[in-house]
Amino acid sequence: MPVKRLIVGDIQGCFEELKELLDRSGISSDDEIISVGDMVDRGPDSPGVIQFFQKQAHARSVMGNHERKHIRSYYGEINPSISQVISRSQIGEANYPAAVAYMETLPIYLDLPELLVVHAFYEPGVPLSEQKEEVLVGIMSGQAYITRQYQENWWELYDGPKPLFVGHHDYSNKGTPLIYKDRVFCIDTGCCYGRTLTGVLLPDFKIISVRARANHWSRVKKKYLDSGKG
């Protein structure tokens, strides 16, 4: 049987939902799992997600803006937001340097024979090798640049040679993926906010979604603030 490939939207620490998604997809240990980034923050189990991708032989991810924030805040380049502070607490100080070291290994894109994976945006008319990192990863300046440069929705302008998979925003705000002309697959569906976690199973481009168990970010943030640490 041919090896399958599952592209997974923003997990953001929702490890139980990830495990359910993997079960429902029916993939085997020989199949590949690819995250579109933002594996961590806001959900209840960022450590579990990181450990899964570190240990699973055929699992990998591109870098999302949340991983980039962890790296930059760890080195003192920016102040961490509350979601990074909470994830660091979940991971634990003893394990945090290794977690950041793993995040540093994540590429800003995956250019595969049949598809392209980036975390956030893609600028039309610009070769992949010349795309701005802040655009692909989705930091605030990258989003501002795309908004300023183009009047249309960025995905309507996508001119790459193969299907593009991204996360970063739940554009529907309803937990359903945005799929544009079977060319752009926006598969962040807001799991950490209580919506869904979505994957696309290749080669059939089958959409699989599992419902979030809770509005995790609301619960995680409240628990942290109630503890008096915030």
Side-chain angles (χ1 to χ4, degrees), residues 1-7 25-34 56-60 112 114-115 200-205:
M1 294 180 63
V3 174
K4 298 176 184 177
R5 178 175 280 141
L6 181 69
I7 317 296
S25 70
I27 62 174
S28 72
S29 58
D30 294 325
D31 297 324
E32 187 175 34
I33 304 157
I34 296 177
Q56 191 73 20
H58 301 294
R60 51 181 170 161
L112 305 177
E114 73 279 30
L115 60 98
V200 181
L201 187 62
L202 303 178
D204 297 329
F205 287 81

mmCIF file of all heavy atoms in Angstrom, residues 1-7 25-34 56-60 112 114-115 200-205:
data_model
loop_
_atom_site.group_PDB
_atom_site.id
_atom_site.type_symbol
_atom_site.label_atom_id
_atom_site.label_comp_id
_atom_site.label_asym_id
_atom_site.label_seq_id
_atom_site.Cartn_x
_atom_site.Cartn_y
_atom_site.Cartn_z
ATOM 1 N N MET A 1 0.843 -1.203 0.000
ATOM 2 C CA MET A 1 0.000 0.000 0.000
ATOM 3 C C MET A 1 0.879 1.253 0.000
ATOM 4 O O MET A 1 1.933 1.270 0.634
ATOM 5 C CB MET A 1 -0.905 0.016 1.244
ATOM 6 C CG MET A 1 -1.949 -1.085 1.277
ATOM 7 S SD MET A 1 -2.974 -1.005 2.762
ATOM 8 C CE MET A 1 -3.764 0.583 2.517
ATOM 9 N N PRO A 2 0.452 2.308 -0.716
ATOM 10 C CA PRO A 2 1.249 3.533 -0.733
ATOM 11 C C PRO A 2 1.241 4.218 0.626
ATOM 12 O O PRO A 2 0.276 4.112 1.392
ATOM 13 C CB PRO A 2 0.530 4.391 -1.779
ATOM 14 C CG PRO A 2 -0.870 3.877 -1.790
ATOM 15 C CD PRO A 2 -0.769 2.406 -1.521
ATOM 16 N N VAL A 3 2.327 4.880 0.949
ATOM 17 C CA VAL A 3 2.414 5.618 2.207
ATOM 18 C C VAL A 3 1.491 6.826 2.145
ATOM 19 O O VAL A 3 1.471 7.566 1.173
ATOM 20 C CB VAL A 3 3.863 6.059 2.466
ATOM 21 C CG1 VAL A 3 3.939 6.952 3.694
ATOM 22 C CG2 VAL A 3 4.764 4.846 2.629
ATOM 23 N N LYS A 4 0.716 7.014 3.197
ATOM 24 C CA LYS A 4 -0.185 8.160 3.282
ATOM 25 C C LYS A 4 0.528 9.326 3.965
ATOM 26 O O LYS A 4 1.559 9.164 4.606
ATOM 27 C CB LYS A 4 -1.445 7.786 4.065
ATOM 28 C CG LYS A 4 -2.268 6.682 3.431
ATOM 29 C CD LYS A 4 -3.448 6.325 4.326
ATOM 30 C CE LYS A 4 -4.240 5.167 3.762
ATOM 31 N NZ LYS A 4 -5.346 4.755 4.670
ATOM 32 N N ARG A 5 -0.077 10.491 3.830
ATOM 33 C CA ARG A 5 0.481 11.687 4.464
ATOM 34 C C ARG A 5 -0.676 12.477 5.053
ATOM 35 O O ARG A 5 -1.655 12.764 4.365
ATOM 36 C CB ARG A 5 1.242 12.507 3.432
ATOM 37 C CG ARG A 5 1.837 13.798 3.950
ATOM 38 C CD ARG A 5 2.668 14.467 2.874
ATOM 39 N NE ARG A 5 3.982 13.865 2.765
ATOM 40 C CZ ARG A 5 4.616 13.642 1.619
ATOM 41 N NH1 ARG A 5 4.022 13.935 0.475
ATOM 42 N NH2 ARG A 5 5.818 13.131 1.608
ATOM 43 N N LEU A 6 -0.577 12.828 6.338
ATOM 44 C CA LEU A 6 -1.610 13.602 7.014
ATOM 45 C C LEU A 6 -1.051 14.983 7.345
ATOM 46 O O LEU A 6 -0.075 15.100 8.086
ATOM 47 C CB LEU A 6 -2.066 12.912 8.303
ATOM 48 C CG LEU A 6 -3.175 13.618 9.087
ATOM 49 C CD1 LEU A 6 -4.500 13.565 8.319
ATOM 50 C CD2 LEU A 6 -3.345 12.995 10.473
ATOM 51 N N ILE A 7 -1.664 16.019 6.780
ATOM 52 C CA ILE A 7 -1.290 17.400 7.086
ATOM 53 C C ILE A 7 -2.239 17.905 8.170
ATOM 54 O O ILE A 7 -3.461 17.856 7.991
ATOM 55 C CB ILE A 7 -1.389 18.310 5.850
ATOM 56 C CG1 ILE A 7 -0.808 17.618 4.602
ATOM 57 C CG2 ILE A 7 -0.703 19.642 6.119
ATOM 58 C CD1 ILE A 7 0.651 17.323 4.670
ATOM 59 N N SER A 25 -7.874 9.004 11.260
ATOM 60 C CA SER A 25 -7.282 9.023 9.927
ATOM 61 C C SER A 25 -6.867 7.630 9.464
ATOM 62 O O SER A 25 -6.718 7.395 8.259
ATOM 63 C CB SER A 25 -6.075 9.956 9.889
ATOM 64 O OG SER A 25 -4.993 9.406 10.627
ATOM 65 N N GLY A 26 -6.639 6.733 10.403
ATOM 66 C CA GLY A 26 -6.262 5.375 10.053
ATOM 67 C C GLY A 26 -4.856 5.234 9.521
ATOM 68 O O GLY A 26 -4.531 4.232 8.874
ATOM 69 N N ILE A 27 -3.987 6.191 9.794
ATOM 70 C CA ILE A 27 -2.620 6.096 9.288
ATOM 71 C C ILE A 27 -1.820 5.102 10.123
ATOM 72 O O ILE A 27 -2.137 4.831 11.281
ATOM 73 C CB ILE A 27 -1.920 7.470 9.255
ATOM 74 C CG1 ILE A 27 -1.812 8.068 10.662
ATOM 75 C CG2 ILE A 27 -2.641 8.420 8.319
ATOM 76 C CD1 ILE A 27 -1.009 9.343 10.692
ATOM 77 N N SER A 28 -0.762 4.582 9.519
ATOM 78 C CA SER A 28 0.090 3.602 10.181
ATOM 79 C C SER A 28 1.416 4.239 10.568
ATOM 80 O O SER A 28 1.684 5.407 10.273
ATOM 81 C CB SER A 28 0.342 2.417 9.247
ATOM 82 O OG SER A 28 1.226 2.792 8.196
ATOM 83 N N SER A 29 2.264 3.454 11.208
ATOM 84 C CA SER A 29 3.567 3.963 11.635
ATOM 85 C C SER A 29 4.477 4.278 10.449
ATOM 86 O O SER A 29 5.490 4.968 10.598
ATOM 87 C CB SER A 29 4.257 2.955 12.551
ATOM 88 O OG SER A 29 4.411 1.712 11.884
ATOM 89 N N ASP A 30 4.137 3.766 9.277
ATOM 90 C CA ASP A 30 4.927 4.053 8.080
ATOM 91 C C ASP A 30 4.472 5.321 7.362
ATOM 92 O O ASP A 30 5.137 5.780 6.432
ATOM 93 C CB ASP A 30 4.838 2.882 7.099
ATOM 94 C CG ASP A 30 5.501 1.629 7.637
ATOM 95 O OD1 ASP A 30 6.513 1.750 8.341
ATOM 96 O OD2 ASP A 30 4.980 0.530 7.362
ATOM 97 N N ASP A 31 3.327 5.857 7.767
ATOM 98 C CA ASP A 31 2.791 7.052 7.125
ATOM 99 C C ASP A 31 3.383 8.312 7.755
ATOM 100 O O ASP A 31 3.948 8.278 8.850
ATOM 101 C CB ASP A 31 1.269 7.065 7.235
ATOM 102 C CG ASP A 31 0.632 5.892 6.505
ATOM 103 O OD1 ASP A 31 1.155 5.508 5.449
ATOM 104 O OD2 ASP A 31 -0.373 5.353 7.008
ATOM 105 N N GLU A 32 3.221 9.424 7.061
ATOM 106 C CA GLU A 32 3.850 10.673 7.492
ATOM 107 C C GLU A 32 2.830 11.644 8.061
ATOM 108 O O GLU A 32 1.698 11.741 7.583
ATOM 109 C CB GLU A 32 4.567 11.328 6.314
ATOM 110 C CG GLU A 32 5.393 12.544 6.708
ATOM 111 C CD GLU A 32 6.200 13.107 5.561
ATOM 112 O OE1 GLU A 32 5.727 13.056 4.410
ATOM 113 O OE2 GLU A 32 7.303 13.608 5.819
ATOM 114 N N ILE A 33 3.239 12.353 9.112
ATOM 115 C CA ILE A 33 2.416 13.379 9.746
ATOM 116 C C ILE A 33 3.168 14.701 9.649
ATOM 117 O O ILE A 33 4.333 14.790 10.046
ATOM 118 C CB ILE A 33 2.154 13.038 11.230
ATOM 119 C CG1 ILE A 33 1.507 11.660 11.355
ATOM 120 C CG2 ILE A 33 1.290 14.111 11.885
ATOM 121 C CD1 ILE A 33 1.708 11.032 12.712
ATOM 122 N N ILE A 34 2.502 15.723 9.109
ATOM 123 C CA ILE A 34 3.125 17.036 8.968
ATOM 124 C C ILE A 34 2.237 18.078 9.635
ATOM 125 O O ILE A 34 1.055 18.196 9.323
ATOM 126 C CB ILE A 34 3.332 17.404 7.489
ATOM 127 C CG1 ILE A 34 4.302 16.430 6.830
ATOM 128 C CG2 ILE A 34 3.850 18.828 7.359
ATOM 129 C CD1 ILE A 34 4.518 16.685 5.340
ATOM 130 N N GLN A 56 8.345 10.678 17.102
ATOM 131 C CA GLN A 56 7.719 9.946 16.012
ATOM 132 C C GLN A 56 8.602 10.015 14.779
ATOM 133 O O GLN A 56 8.927 11.104 14.291
ATOM 134 C CB GLN A 56 6.337 10.525 15.718
ATOM 135 C CG GLN A 56 5.477 9.696 14.791
ATOM 136 C CD GLN A 56 4.949 8.438 15.445
ATOM 137 O OE1 GLN A 56 4.912 8.336 16.666
ATOM 138 N NE2 GLN A 56 4.544 7.477 14.635
ATOM 139 N N ALA A 57 8.965 8.865 14.252
ATOM 140 C CA ALA A 57 9.947 8.823 13.167
ATOM 141 C C ALA A 57 9.490 9.584 11.924
ATOM 142 O O ALA A 57 10.297 10.226 11.252
ATOM 143 C CB ALA A 57 10.252 7.375 12.809
ATOM 144 N N HIS A 58 8.201 9.535 11.622
ATOM 145 C CA HIS A 58 7.700 10.136 10.386
ATOM 146 C C HIS A 58 6.825 11.362 10.651
ATOM 147 O O HIS A 58 5.900 11.637 9.895
ATOM 148 C CB HIS A 58 6.929 9.098 9.575
ATOM 149 C CG HIS A 58 7.754 7.904 9.203
ATOM 150 N ND1 HIS A 58 8.822 7.981 8.343
ATOM 151 C CD2 HIS A 58 7.686 6.605 9.608
ATOM 152 C CE1 HIS A 58 9.372 6.783 8.207
ATOM 153 N NE2 HIS A 58 8.700 5.932 8.964
ATOM 154 N N ALA A 59 7.129 12.095 11.711
ATOM 155 C CA ALA A 59 6.380 13.316 12.036
ATOM 156 C C ALA A 59 7.317 14.518 11.958
ATOM 157 O O ALA A 59 8.446 14.469 12.445
ATOM 158 C CB ALA A 59 5.766 13.221 13.425
ATOM 159 N N ARG A 60 6.840 15.580 11.334
ATOM 160 C CA ARG A 60 7.640 16.802 11.252
ATOM 161 C C ARG A 60 6.722 18.010 11.137
ATOM 162 O O ARG A 60 5.515 17.880 10.950
ATOM 163 C CB ARG A 60 8.615 16.755 10.084
ATOM 164 C CG ARG A 60 8.011 16.400 8.733
ATOM 165 C CD ARG A 60 9.085 16.361 7.669
ATOM 166 N NE ARG A 60 8.642 15.803 6.410
ATOM 167 C CZ ARG A 60 9.261 15.991 5.260
ATOM 168 N NH1 ARG A 60 10.350 16.753 5.213
ATOM 169 N NH2 ARG A 60 8.804 15.440 4.150
ATOM 170 N N LEU A 112 7.552 19.923 -0.943
ATOM 171 C CA LEU A 112 7.478 18.516 -1.292
ATOM 172 C C LEU A 112 7.045 18.364 -2.746
ATOM 173 O O LEU A 112 6.505 19.301 -3.335
ATOM 174 C CB LEU A 112 6.492 17.808 -0.360
ATOM 175 C CG LEU A 112 6.798 17.972 1.140
ATOM 176 C CD1 LEU A 112 5.727 17.301 1.984
ATOM 177 C CD2 LEU A 112 8.175 17.419 1.473
ATOM 178 N N GLU A 114 4.577 17.106 -4.272
ATOM 179 C CA GLU A 114 3.173 17.315 -4.631
ATOM 180 C C GLU A 114 2.488 18.423 -3.846
ATOM 181 O O GLU A 114 1.323 18.731 -4.096
ATOM 182 C CB GLU A 114 2.392 16.005 -4.464
ATOM 183 C CG GLU A 114 2.131 15.582 -3.027
ATOM 184 C CD GLU A 114 3.291 14.874 -2.348
ATOM 185 O OE1 GLU A 114 4.461 15.147 -2.674
ATOM 186 O OE2 GLU A 114 3.025 14.052 -1.459
ATOM 187 N N LEU A 115 3.189 19.076 -2.915
ATOM 188 C CA LEU A 115 2.558 20.130 -2.131
ATOM 189 C C LEU A 115 3.604 21.000 -1.458
ATOM 190 O O LEU A 115 4.782 20.646 -1.370
ATOM 191 C CB LEU A 115 1.616 19.540 -1.076
ATOM 192 C CG LEU A 115 2.240 18.608 -0.028
ATOM 193 C CD1 LEU A 115 2.535 19.355 1.259
ATOM 194 C CD2 LEU A 115 1.327 17.430 0.261
ATOM 195 N N VAL A 200 -5.777 16.917 6.682
ATOM 196 C CA VAL A 200 -6.068 16.534 5.296
ATOM 197 C C VAL A 200 -5.230 15.294 4.996
ATOM 198 O O VAL A 200 -4.001 15.325 5.096
ATOM 199 C CB VAL A 200 -5.736 17.654 4.299
ATOM 200 C CG1 VAL A 200 -6.082 17.217 2.884
ATOM 201 C CG2 VAL A 200 -6.489 18.933 4.659
ATOM 202 N N LEU A 201 -5.907 14.215 4.647
ATOM 203 C CA LEU A 201 -5.236 12.949 4.391
ATOM 204 C C LEU A 201 -4.963 12.812 2.893
ATOM 205 O O LEU A 201 -5.883 12.818 2.069
ATOM 206 C CB LEU A 201 -6.112 11.795 4.877
ATOM 207 C CG LEU A 201 -5.485 10.393 4.836
ATOM 208 C CD1 LEU A 201 -4.256 10.315 5.739
ATOM 209 C CD2 LEU A 201 -6.514 9.349 5.250
ATOM 210 N N LEU A 202 -3.708 12.707 2.555
ATOM 211 C CA LEU A 202 -3.276 12.534 1.174
ATOM 212 C C LEU A 202 -2.923 11.069 0.927
ATOM 213 O O LEU A 202 -2.554 10.367 1.852
ATOM 214 C CB LEU A 202 -2.066 13.433 0.900
ATOM 215 C CG LEU A 202 -2.265 14.935 1.159
ATOM 216 C CD1 LEU A 202 -0.970 15.681 0.889
ATOM 217 C CD2 LEU A 202 -3.385 15.479 0.322
ATOM 218 N N PRO A 203 -3.069 10.599 -0.305
ATOM 219 C CA PRO A 203 -3.198 11.365 -1.549
ATOM 220 C C PRO A 203 -4.626 11.730 -1.945
ATOM 221 O O PRO A 203 -4.826 12.345 -2.998
ATOM 222 C CB PRO A 203 -2.596 10.415 -2.586
ATOM 223 C CG PRO A 203 -2.939 9.051 -2.070
ATOM 224 C CD PRO A 203 -2.816 9.167 -0.565
ATOM 225 N N ASP A 204 -5.627 11.369 -1.136
ATOM 226 C CA ASP A 204 -7.019 11.581 -1.548
ATOM 227 C C ASP A 204 -7.576 12.951 -1.180
ATOM 228 O O ASP A 204 -8.720 13.255 -1.498
ATOM 229 C CB ASP A 204 -7.912 10.500 -0.935
ATOM 230 C CG ASP A 204 -7.552 9.104 -1.417
ATOM 231 O OD1 ASP A 204 -7.083 8.996 -2.564
ATOM 232 O OD2 ASP A 204 -7.723 8.141 -0.649
ATOM 233 N N PHE A 205 -6.797 13.773 -0.452
ATOM 234 C CA PHE A 205 -7.247 15.089 -0.001
ATOM 235 C C PHE A 205 -8.550 14.967 0.810
ATOM 236 O O PHE A 205 -9.468 15.763 0.669
ATOM 237 C CB PHE A 205 -7.431 16.051 -1.177
ATOM 238 C CG PHE A 205 -6.130 16.530 -1.762
ATOM 239 C CD1 PHE A 205 -5.418 15.736 -2.653
ATOM 240 C CD2 PHE A 205 -5.588 17.750 -1.397
ATOM 241 C CE1 PHE A 205 -4.207 16.158 -3.185
ATOM 242 C CE2 PHE A 205 -4.381 18.192 -1.925
ATOM 243 C CZ PHE A 205 -3.690 17.388 -2.814
#
